[in-house]
Each structure stands twice: as C-alpha cells, then as structure tokens.
Amino acid sequence: MDKYDVIIIGGGPAGYRAAERLAALKKKVCIAEFSEARIGGACLNEGCVPVKAMVESAHLLMKMRRSSEFGIESGEIKADMGAVRAAASKKMDFLRTALYSSLKKQGVDFVFGAASFVSANVIKIDSRQMEAEYFIIASGSESRKLRLQGFELTMNSFQLLEKGFSGNELLIVGGGYIGCEFASLYRAFGRDVTVLEALPDLLAMEDSDVTRALEREFKKQGIKLLKAASLKSVSSAEAGLSARIEQNGRSSEEKFDAVLSAVGRRPRTEELNLGSAGVNVLPSGAIAVDDSMRTNVPNIYAAGDVIDSPMLAHTAYREGVTAASAIAGIETEKINYPAVPRIVFSFPQVGALGITEKEASSRGIETETRKSFFAANAKAVITGETAGFLKIISSVSDGRILGAAAVGAHACEIIHLLSPAVSRSMTLKQAAEVMYGHPTLSEIVSEALAKI
Ligand code: NAD
C-alpha cells in the first residue's frame, strides 16, 4: 500500500496551497482529485477564473461601446459569446497546466479518482488503498439546491457556463456573489436579466448605502430587480421556462429562456465516508475544525469550502497553509476572518472588508464613517467610470480603522489598500499619512482621509 506523510483530498485552492507548503517542508505529500481536468478545483475550473475572464470581456465591450467619449471611432462592435467562452477556457487551461506542472516539480504526487475514508489512516480511491499519517480534507463545495417543483429545470452557474446561453430572458435566483456577477455579465452582453432575491437587498451582508449604489447602477443598465421575492415553481413552457414568482403577496407567472440558481453553496462531504474516520460534521454539513484546522480526529485536518468559514478561494488558501503548518508543527497567526476581503466582480464592482456599519451598530460599537466619491477622483474622471464611493469605518473611541467598503470601478483592487489598516488595526491618522501617486484611483483613500 502507498504510504504518505500527508494525503490531501481535493486539489482546489485549499488543497494545492497546503500541498505546496508541505512539499516545501519536505513532507511526502499526495493530492487525491477526481481527474486531471479538475486540478485547481471549482475556483479555477468553474468560478473565479472562467467567470472573471468573461467579466473582463464584458468590461472591454462596455468600454468599446463608449469609445467615442475617448475620441475613438470603432465601427460596429460584435460580441460572440462562443468566442468569449473559448477565450476564458484558454486562460483556464493555461493556469491549470501551469499549476499541475508546478506542483509536480515541487514534488507533489497526484492520484486521480473519488477518494473516501476506510479508517482514520487509510483512504481508498476506486479499488486502491492509500495510507497516510495525516489527511487534509479540502473537498470543497457544490451548488445548493432548492426544494421546489421544477428545480431540475434550472441551471447552476457552472452548467450555464458550460452549456452556454443563447436565449434572451435570463432569471437569476439569488442576488449574492454569483447572482450579481452573472447579472452584470449577461446584461453587458445584451441579455434581458431579472434578479430575484429573497431578502430586501442584494448582497445583504453589506451596508445599505453600498447595496443602494449597486442597485442604482444595475437599474440604469436595465437589470430588473425582484427583491423580497420568492420563486415558487419552474415548469416547461412552449418556448423556454415558466416561473411562478411571489412578491408583496402577489403571485405571477413569467416566461424566461433560462433560470440560473445562485442561492449559495454547501460543503461537499457526502462521498467521503467520514463516519469510517470518525470525523464530526456540523448540522450545516460543514466539517468542524479548531483554529489550526484540525478536526476532532487528531490526524485529520480540513480547509476551504468544506469547513464553516467564508467560501472564498483566498480564505481557502490561508486555511490550507494553516493546516499544513500545523501538521509540520509550525505555529501560524490565527486567521483573522473579519479581515477577509469580500469582492464582487459586478458592474460596478463591490469590495469590502472588516466590520460594516450595521454590524458595528448591532454590536454596540460607536463608529464614524469617512466617504469619498469616484466622481471627485481625477483618475476616475479620466477613465470615465465615476459611479460609486469608498467609505472607511473607524472606532470613535480610539480612531482605529475597523472596516471599509467600496463600490465602483476597480473596487475589488482598491479595497485591498485598506487591508493592512483593517488587519493591523491602524488608526485614521496612520492611514492618512500614507502617500498615493497622482492621478490614480488609489488616491480615493487619501481623499476619504483628507480631513484627518
Ligand atoms: P451567496 O451566499 O453569495 O448568495 C446567495 C443569495 O441567494 C443570497 O443573497 C440569498 O439571500 C439568496 N437566496 C437564498 N435562497 C434563496 C431563495 N430561495 N430565493 C431567492 N434568493 C435566495 O451565494 P452564491 O452567490 O450562490 O455564491 C456561492 C459561494 O461562492 C458564495 O459563498 C461565495 O462566497 C462564492 N463566490 C465568491 C465570489 C467572489 O468572491 N467574487 C464569486 C462567486 C461566488
């Protein structure tokens, strides 16, 4: 039987980052993954990479449509969705191949197939058994399903990307990360998009000024919003699908060409036979871990979407490294979850980290907020993307920066300028002393702190 120091189940961000760390620490490590095509996990193959690659095409298209504002006449602009998807696939293939060969060069082994536990020290992949001193479960997540009639007629984000969408009317159920990104993407390519959200706001975790700014821009683009609404059933119609929707106590039947379900993801543990290893699973389906990512079984760790933490690739990276370090007996800083960046690649983008004003208020923390607007930022005026703002939230008692949020062009990048301030609890005064080049979008930080 093959024997390793560590076997990692899952080759996504948590798994491959853990493998890199363990290989660097001279551990004999193997990643178990369904197939070579799945290396990089949902992030590289289904989500972060292909979606953001298509978002980039959409951004270019939007910019080209406004080229005359920049003195450029570009003639007829045509978008070919097939070619857009092919361009995204090419980038995905490049990154997957590069990742695979880099991991192999670092000494990481791979085994392909569905892994499940036989005991706390042995797994099986098809008929092959493998033994390890330690395991890291990094099996990720899968789209959550709704219990409603006709749900099987809906698609998840991966299915929509894979099959393509040649119709016009798209209903997106869920106004979270995926819902907002796909709404922006398909609207930019000229589709009629409706977003149905159960809660009163899109991106409900963020403050209402942020969501209002996003929703205002969505409406300007012609994205239809059905908030505090629920989807009751989906059925086949003569052409496309019919969705029964309830909102404000009224029920209506509407036709769409496709329905995308984007109502969250759930940890993927069912195929792992965790019972044989004695690993505890929370009622949510997530694996319970401590600060070092260790499960209740001392030699088994878990990291990424499969544990109860934000389902984000960058969180998974950190958790993978934490697990790997703990296995090697190296102490790492406890993960500062509130400082995890929340970034949404919609048009406009949303970026946030740390506390929100509403969370501070519910926790009885007195805060003050400083805001600056892209419309007053020279670079934003130059690029013609002036919608939105940046706000910085600080504690009244000691002036420490507790959180920040941005909505607007490149907000997903700009928000990181506040990452050191939030994760290291800098004061407004310290942050105000940082200098930014002119003219840049980054200056919006110094503009927000101009009156310190
Ligand atoms: P999400 O949790 O971000 O959003 C789900 C949304 O669906 C919520 O707004 C929720 O209120 C709504 N909802 C739930 N049930 C509903 C119902 N029955 N009817 C209508 N609305 C309903 O989940 P997601 O958008 O599916 O994304 C899945 C995961 O992938 C997230 O955890 C996210 O962290 C991750 N992701 C991240 C990024 C990024 O970082 N840019 C992008 C895409 C996905």
Side-chain angles (χ1 to χ4, degrees):
M1 193 175 355
D2 297 312
K3 192 163 179 206
Y4 282 88
D5 293 329
V6 188
I7 294 177
I8 299 168
I9 302 176
Y16 69 73
R17 243 336 128 73
E20 286 175 334
R21 180 93 174 120
L22 287 161
L25 296 167
K26 307 281 175 250
K27 298 284 178 194
K28 187 168 153 49
V29 57
C30 178
I31 292 178
E33 178 51 88
F34 287 118
S35 67
E36 196 179 314
R38 290 286 312 165
I39 291 170
C43 165
L44 201 157
N45 299 293
E46 296 177 15
C48 313
V49 172
V51 177
K52 274 41 127 186
M54 289 174 72
V55 164
E56 204 52 43
S57 296
H59 189 228
L60 179 61
L61 177 65
M62 287 164 81
K63 198 99 195 199
M64 285 172 79
R65 283 190 186 127
R66 295 176 53 194
S67 69
S68 59
E69 283 175 37
F70 299 82
I72 313 234
E73 290 307 329
S74 54
E76 195 195 354
I77 301 159
K78 279 196 280 185
D80 173 347
M81 276 311 265
V84 167
R85 281 168 46 222
S89 281
K90 202 168 153 193
K91 290 165 193 171
M92 214 161 78
D93 292 345
F94 171 80
L95 289 170
R96 191 191 315 102
T97 308
L99 175 65
Y100 188 31
S101 69
S102 158
L103 286 165
K104 282 198 294 190
K105 255 190 229 148
Q106 292 172 66
V108 176
D109 284 346
F110 283 84
V111 57
F112 296 117
S116 63
F117 281 95
V118 173
S119 69
N121 286 94
V122 177
I123 58 165
K124 79 173 161 56
I125 289 126
D126 302 325
S127 57
R128 177 174 173 188
Q129 296 215 345
M130 296 175 74
E131 193 181 342
E133 197 179 339
Y134 293 97
F135 289 90
I136 300 176
I137 305 169
S139 50
S141 61
E142 57 195 1
S143 297
R144 194 167 76 82
K145 293 188 173 76
L146 289 179
R147 274 202 205 98
L148 60 86
Q149 193 191 327
F151 183 79
E152 68 285 357
L153 299 170
T154 70
M155 285 189 269
N156 62 35
S157 54
F158 178 55
Q159 290 165 330
L160 186 70
L161 286 185
E162 212 180 31
K163 287 185 191 155
F165 174 56
S166 54
N168 180 46
E169 300 269 351
L170 176 64
L171 173 65
I172 300 177
V173 186
Y177 283 78
I178 294 179
C180 289
E181 290 182 357
F182 274 70
S184 293
L185 179 61
Y186 281 95
R187 184 62 199 142
F189 286 112
R191 306 300 198 271
D192 283 335
V193 176
T194 302
V195 179
L196 181 153
E197 167 58 51
L199 298 173
D201 289 308
L202 303 184
L203 300 181
M205 64 284 192
E206 304 303 342
D207 281 326
S208 59
D209 54 348
V210 172
T211 56
R212 270 201 317 269
L214 176 73
E215 290 175 12
R216 202 167 37 241
E217 293 305 313
F218 269 17
K219 282 185 194 156
K220 273 194 218 160
Q221 292 161 29
I223 295 172
K224 198 171 153 197
L225 302 180
L226 297 173
K227 298 190 294 174
S230 65
L231 176 67
K232 293 294 169 193
S233 66
V234 181
S235 54
S236 295
E238 209 172 296
L241 300 172
S242 178
R244 193 159 64 78
I245 293 166
E246 262 182 31
Q247 192 188 29
N248 303 326
R250 274 193 317 237
S251 178
S252 63
E253 196 81 30
E254 294 186 33
K255 298 271 184 298
F256 296 95
D257 295 313
V259 178
L260 165 66
S261 173
V263 293
R265 295 178 66 86
R266 61 185 192 108
R268 184 169 191 159
T269 56
E270 272 159 25
E271 306 110 319
L272 296 175
N273 199 22
L274 291 177
S276 296
V279 174
N280 282 348
V281 174
L282 299 167
S284 65
I287 295 177
V289 292
D290 65 12
D291 290 343
S292 69
M293 306 295 124
R294 190 153 76 159
T295 69
N296 61 307
V297 182
N299 70 317
I300 302 182
Y301 289 68
D305 284 8
V306 79
I307 68 167
D308 190 13
S309 66
M311 290 190 179
L312 298 165
H314 42 285
T315 321
Y317 280 147
R318 184 59 70 86
E319 291 165 349
V321 170
T322 299
S325 306
I327 287 170
I330 296 168
E331 230 176 90
T332 49
E333 211 173 280
K334 188 176 160 195
I335 298 176
N336 181 1
Y337 284 108
V340 169
R342 309 183 292 276
I343 50 172
V344 188
F345 293 81
S346 44
F347 300 130
Q349 295 186 351
V350 176
L353 42 83
I355 208 164
T356 55
E357 287 180 82
K358 63 183 175 188
E359 189 190 343
S361 144
S362 76
R363 286 168 50 190
I365 303 170
E366 207 187 335
T367 57
E368 57 181 348
T369 297
R370 280 150 215 278
K371 225 176 204 179
S372 52
F373 292 85
F374 283 102
N377 173 279
K379 184 66 188 292
V381 173
I382 291 166
T383 60
E385 293 180 303
T386 52
F389 61 84
L390 166 79
K391 68 171 179 178
I392 298 173
I393 303 160
S394 58
S395 151
V396 168
S397 65
D398 58 9
R400 296 203 180 272
I401 297 176
L402 303 176
V407 54
H410 304 285
C412 294
E413 303 286 345
I414 288 165
I415 199 63
H416 292 93
L417 297 170
L418 273 311
S419 203
V422 171
S423 55
R424 297 290 176 232
S425 300
M426 282 164 71
T427 61
L428 287 169
K429 196 164 174 304
Q430 287 168 328
E433 278 159 9
V434 176
M435 203 189 285
Y436 297 90
H438 177 77
T440 59
L441 293 175
S442 308
E443 279 179 293
I444 197 162
V445 178
S446 49
E447 287 156 5
L449 299 176
K451 291 186 190 135
I452 299 299

